[in-house]
Amino acid sequence: MADAAAAAAVPGDAPGGTTVLDSLGEDITRIVYPVSACMLLVVLLVSLLSSPSSPSPLSASIAAATGGVSGGGDDDIPTALITALTFVVAVTAATFLLALLFYLRCTPCLRAYLGFSALAVLLVLGGQVALLLLSRLRFPLDAVSFALLLPNAAGALALAALAPASVPIALHQAALVAIAVLTAFWFTLLPEWTTWALLVAMAIYDLAAVLLPGGPLRVLLELAIQRNEEIPALVYEARPVDPRHGRNWRLWREGRQPGADLDDSSTVEVIGEVLGRNLQANSGNSSSSQVHEAATLAGDVSNSRPRVTLVAALSSSDSTVAQVGEVSALQEHRVAVAEMSVPLIQPRPQRSGEEVVEDEDGIGLSSSGAIKLGLGDFIFYSVLVGRAAMYDYMTVYACYLAIIAGLGITLLLLAFFRKALPALPVSIALGIVFYVLTRTLLEEFVVQCSTKLLMF
Amino acid sequence: MTLAAGLGYALIALGPAFSLFAGVVARKPFLVLTLLSSTLFWLISLIVLSGIWRGFLPIKSGAWWAYAILILTSVALQEGTRLVFWRLYKKMEEMLDAFADRISKPRLSLTDKMLISLAGGLGHGVAHAVFFCLSLLTPAFGRATFYIETCSKMPFFLASALIALGFLVIHTFSMIIAFNAYDERKKSDQVFVPVIHLAAAVMTLINLAPGGCLIGTPLLLVMAALTLQHCWRVACQRLTEHRHQQHNSN
């Protein structure tokens, strides 16, 4: 026994041996990849379709040299602040309304609302983006085919986004990312100061709504926990996309020996373990009599840690997923609910303001331990990066790194505090700081050096 | 420049980085996170540097000594960042080892440590290539290309892509050498890394002279090859030493 342990402890490069490094951090990368993909798509759309509002000197000079036209039009700060404030007030009101509906157990209303908004985004916004792309790329497509393809695609994607149990998970995740991309692209069309004011306002709102005791999202969350129900909303859950890795489909366990089957692919657990949080939990582990199974995907058994309770489906009529998390009486960590709904209303006064998209904010852990990130976070991250793309690509790279760093910090905090946290404030704050620093300090310096071919 | 040419230049600068990423780093998620964090570090050091130098820009084109001071300070700051990165890596290694012990899995092996330093170096190199080369490349799609006065024989983007490639190799592999040297406390290697970095950066000063880029760029690539060869030697040596140790203990 001793020498086996010693042999295992010697750092060897035996080809068959797996070390901790093999799967550590997998769940973080499974969130980072979709967020990066969403941001990349928005940057591509912005660079193809929008004319920059205030281009950087470099882009402006290049555009002037090749005969392009740089866009103009400035908006002032007071208007921006008023618009942002109106938007936040509208969002707060809508979230309270949602909380009220949830309280009155009006679930069909909520689901219908969700379906309608997803379909509206995909059909109307998606259609307009498609038309813009077609005209920009001069792609030959006739009106009849377009009229046939668009509603079909929109309907299929909306269904995929809303009913994850009936479609392959990759399609479900792709549909969610598509909705986020389209909404984010629309937000980047706002004037510049309005966009920044909106981002700051939403970050502050997110912070207040999730953490303050009277905040709408917190109210919603507590209702959901009390009732063991899931709020029907659009949330991205980082499940494994690749079914090859058998150990990622976690089977549900009866009890848990301390430290024995810690899943080292869950970074949140690792961090918690390292910080010593799991010790209290393991000592007071209750029996798992409260745990039931619930079917999540076709034929899969969803995982539940013994501290989390699952309850069966929300309503028998729909076939959608209804996993539920509940904190068991003895432990307080592993709160498994992070879904909140934040309807977004288009703030542009010229538009008729008819579209309301329902999505979510906040980051948390699902009952299977995978990280969940609300679609609202995807949207606002991409709005920041898209707006940075309208200036110059250097700001895009800097803001991308800042947002990913903010996401990492939020995940660390999540592992530390073990409850639902707002994902917007840290990333948006870092993103704005890096944008300002890049635009004022970095760009001059780097352009000076690299145009003289001076690098270090 | 046209789309094909632009893509070609981007691949010259970043092709090896892509293949390293796809072949080595993407297999282990932790390495992806290491890459992202080291890119962030490099960016922060660059922002600090530009903050320091912002008051002195724009530098008059005749004053090459100002550029020399700029390069000296930049290299000094970046080597300092490397040390800070190493300290953080040591803390991370302790935490990971403690975690591995707790779940009774083997600790970090030597290859793992080298992979982490590779990912760290690749992060630095990718950040360099992206900020110095790619950010100028992407707005310039369209008609015509760009030449600068001091380098009238090579398109500007080609020269910048080649230099970025050289520096990518230097950053990536000198990180492995540096981590190895800090670990084994080998003074010669610890000095080798900053010296190579400084030499390569000073070599780009040659580009300021008219026609200099035709000399400077190949020399830089020679330095990159030198770094690569040294790293190969260091890694082989360490691994064979390690295997001997293992055989002796078993």
Side-chain angles (χ1 to χ4, degrees):
Chain A
M1 190 61 191
D3 34 338
V10 166
D13 19 63
T18 52
T19 60
V20 186
L21 206 65
D22 272 348
S23 53
L24 194 63
E26 193 161 2
D27 49 351
I28 297 189
T29 43
R30 275 192 241 132
I31 270 281
V32 166
Y33 284 149
V35 172
S36 314
C38 183
M39 290 200 258
L40 180 69
L41 284 173
V42 172
V43 167
L44 279 178
L45 276 181
V46 163
S47 39
L48 273 179
L49 295 180
S50 301
S51 58
S53 52
S54 61
S56 68
L58 186 63
S59 326
S61 58
I62 292 181
T66 56
V69 181
S70 60
D74 222 338
D75 60 325
D76 49 349
I77 306 190
T79 326
L81 285 177
I82 295 176
T83 319
L85 214 59
T86 322
F87 186 73
V88 168
V89 165
V91 164
T92 320
T95 316
F96 272 122
L97 180 65
L98 236 52
L100 187 67
L101 283 178
F102 189 65
Y103 181 68
L104 298 174
R105 294 180 192 273
C106 192
T107 324
C109 314
L110 287 175
R111 301 208 82 90
Y113 181 53
L114 196 61
F116 166 72
S117 54
L119 197 61
V121 165
L122 284 167
L123 204 56
V124 179
L125 300 190
Q128 284 196 277
V129 167
L131 281 173
L132 284 172
L133 274 177
L134 284 179
S135 70
R136 171 79 172 76
L137 297 175
R138 297 177 208 225
F139 193 67
L141 185 67
D142 58 312
V144 180
S145 316
F146 187 73
L148 273 177
L149 286 174
L150 181 68
N152 273 307
L157 283 178
L159 191 65
L162 294 170
S166 40
V167 294
I169 194 169
L171 189 60
H172 168 67
Q173 292 177 337
L176 287 175
V177 170
I179 295 178
V181 164
L182 290 172
T183 322
F185 176 70
W186 270 97
F187 271 107
T188 58
L189 296 180
L190 292 173
E192 180 152 10
W193 280 110
T194 314
T195 320
W196 292 113
L198 191 69
L199 282 171
V200 171
M202 281 310 292
I204 300 177
Y205 163 76
D206 201 16
L207 197 59
V210 176
L211 296 179
L212 288 183
L217 293 177
R218 185 156 172 164
V219 162
L220 208 53
L221 210 59
E222 282 165 3
L223 267 180
I225 295 177
Q226 255 177 13
R227 286 213 215 140
N228 296 346
E229 279 178 12
E230 172 186 279
I231 311 170
L234 290 171
V235 80
Y236 185 97
E237 182 166 348
R239 298 266 192 82
V241 182
D242 188 354
R244 268 189 294 134
H245 298 144
R247 78 183 123 144
N248 289 330
W249 294 115
R250 303 174 200 164
L251 304 173
W252 103 267
R253 307 177 189 122
E254 271 288 327
R256 216 175 102 155
Q257 294 81 35
D261 41 358
L262 254 187
D263 189 357
D264 59 344
S265 70
S266 161
T267 314
V268 174
E269 274 206 59
V270 171
I271 298 173
E273 182 70 15
V274 165
L275 296 174
R277 278 304 183 102
N278 279 349
L279 295 177
Q280 309 90 296
N282 287 332
S283 56
N285 204 348
S286 73
S287 74
S288 26
S289 55
Q290 302 171 8
V291 194
H292 315 272
E293 281 179 15
T296 55
L297 301 179
D300 255 352
V301 177
S302 98
N303 171 54
S304 75
R305 317 260 167 202
R307 292 158 280 173
V308 170
T309 314
L310 291 182
V311 167
L314 199 58
S315 65
S316 52
S317 53
D318 53 21
S319 58
T320 56
V321 172
Q323 334 172 330
V324 170
E326 189 217 8
V327 181
S328 81
L330 289 183
Q331 286 90 19
E332 78 292 357
H333 58 84
R334 224 45 108 166
V335 173
V337 177
E339 35 232 10
M340 291 143 274
S341 322
V342 177
L344 296 177
I345 304 180
Q346 281 192 349
R348 266 199 171 157
Q350 305 93 294
R351 310 265 158 185
S352 53
E354 76 290 306
E355 276 150 38
V356 181
V357 175
E358 174 158 300
D359 51 18
E360 302 198 341
D361 265 353
I363 188 170
L365 293 174
S366 74
S367 53
S368 65
I371 297 179
K372 283 177 147 179
L373 190 62
L375 221 54
D377 298 322
F378 275 75
I379 292 176
F380 285 109
Y381 293 164
S382 312
V383 168
L384 197 145
V385 173
R387 178 48 69 174
M390 287 184 172
Y391 181 73
D392 191 25
Y393 279 100
M394 213 177 296
T395 43
V396 169
Y397 304 131
C399 288
Y400 169 74
L401 286 172
I403 289 181
I404 299 288
L407 191 63
I409 294 177
T410 315
L411 286 173
L412 278 176
L413 289 177
L414 183 70
F416 198 69
F417 287 114
R418 305 290 184 118
K419 52 181 219 170
L421 289 177
L424 276 185
V426 183
S427 291
I428 301 270
L430 276 180
I432 293 184
V433 163
F434 270 66
Y435 178 80
V436 167
L437 284 178
T438 307
R439 195 163 156 169
T440 52
L441 297 177
L442 187 66
E443 194 181 354
E444 223 356 280
F445 181 72
V446 170
V447 167
Q448 264 268 301
C449 287
S450 51
T451 44
K452 302 214 173 342
L453 286 182
L454 206 69
M455 303 197 191
F456 41 83
Chain B
M1 76 231 122
T2 60
L3 191 60
L7 215 56
Y9 294 139
L11 282 176
I12 289 179
L14 283 175
F18 275 142
S19 30
L20 270 176
F21 184 82
V24 176
V25 173
R27 301 270 168 95
K28 305 199 182 205
F30 189 73
L31 295 178
V32 174
L33 297 175
T34 314
L35 190 135
L36 283 173
S37 49
S38 86
T39 316
L40 186 72
F41 256 92
W42 201 88
L43 173 63
I44 293 179
S45 79
L46 198 66
I47 289 183
V48 166
L49 198 61
S50 56
I52 299 175
W53 275 92
R54 185 68 176 89
F56 304 100
L57 296 174
I59 305 183
K60 295 188 294 295
S61 42
W64 65 267
W65 49 268
Y67 287 118
I69 302 180
L70 187 120
I71 288 203
L72 273 172
T73 49
S74 322
V75 173
L77 194 71
Q78 285 183 4
E79 293 302 320
T81 315
R82 200 192 296 272
L83 266 171
V84 169
F85 196 59
W86 189 72
R87 289 277 150 76
L88 285 177
Y89 159 71
K90 275 317 235 188
K91 285 221 186 81
M92 167 72 56
E93 193 186 314
E94 277 168 24
M95 285 201 319
L96 283 180
D97 278 340
F99 176 68
D101 285 339
R102 213 181 294 190
I103 63 170
S104 44
K105 270 203 172 175
R107 294 180 152 212
L108 286 180
S109 68
L110 182 65
T111 2
D112 282 340
K113 296 184 194 170
M114 287 196 165
L115 280 176
I116 294 182
S117 57
L118 175 71
L122 193 62
H124 278 212
V126 163
H128 175 95
V130 158
F131 279 94
F132 278 93
C133 170
L134 211 62
S135 57
L136 293 179
L137 208 64
T138 28
F141 282 118
R143 289 165 238 139
T145 184
F146 200 56
Y147 283 81
I148 54 176
E149 300 165 356
T150 51
C151 193
S152 48
K153 303 265 195 325
M154 250 201 307
F156 167 70
F157 299 113
L158 180 63
S160 134
L162 285 172
I163 296 179
L165 172 67
F167 268 104
L168 187 132
V169 170
I170 291 180
H171 278 304
T172 311
F173 296 105
S174 58
M175 184 70 87
I176 302 183
I177 303 176
F179 271 35
N180 203 47
Y182 293 142
D183 216 14
E184 293 194 321
R185 296 175 207 284
K186 255 203 236 164
K187 279 293 179 202
S188 63
D189 275 346
Q190 282 180 17
V191 168
F192 176 83
V193 165
V195 162
I196 276 266
H197 193 181
L198 192 62
V202 164
M203 212 153 290
T204 55
L205 276 176
I206 305 180
N207 293 330
L208 284 178
C213 62
L214 290 175
I215 310 174
T217 318
L219 273 181
L220 184 71
L221 292 174
V222 163
M223 305 230 75
L226 200 72
T227 318
L228 193 56
Q229 192 257 349
H230 190 88
C231 175
W232 175 254
R233 238 190 12 219
V234 161
C236 273
Q237 196 183 25
R238 186 89 193 269
L239 282 172
T240 40
E241 238 173 52
H242 185 74
R243 219 163 277 152
H244 280 312
Q245 270 177 8
Q246 268 200 302
H247 277 298
N248 288 345
S249 67
N250 291 353

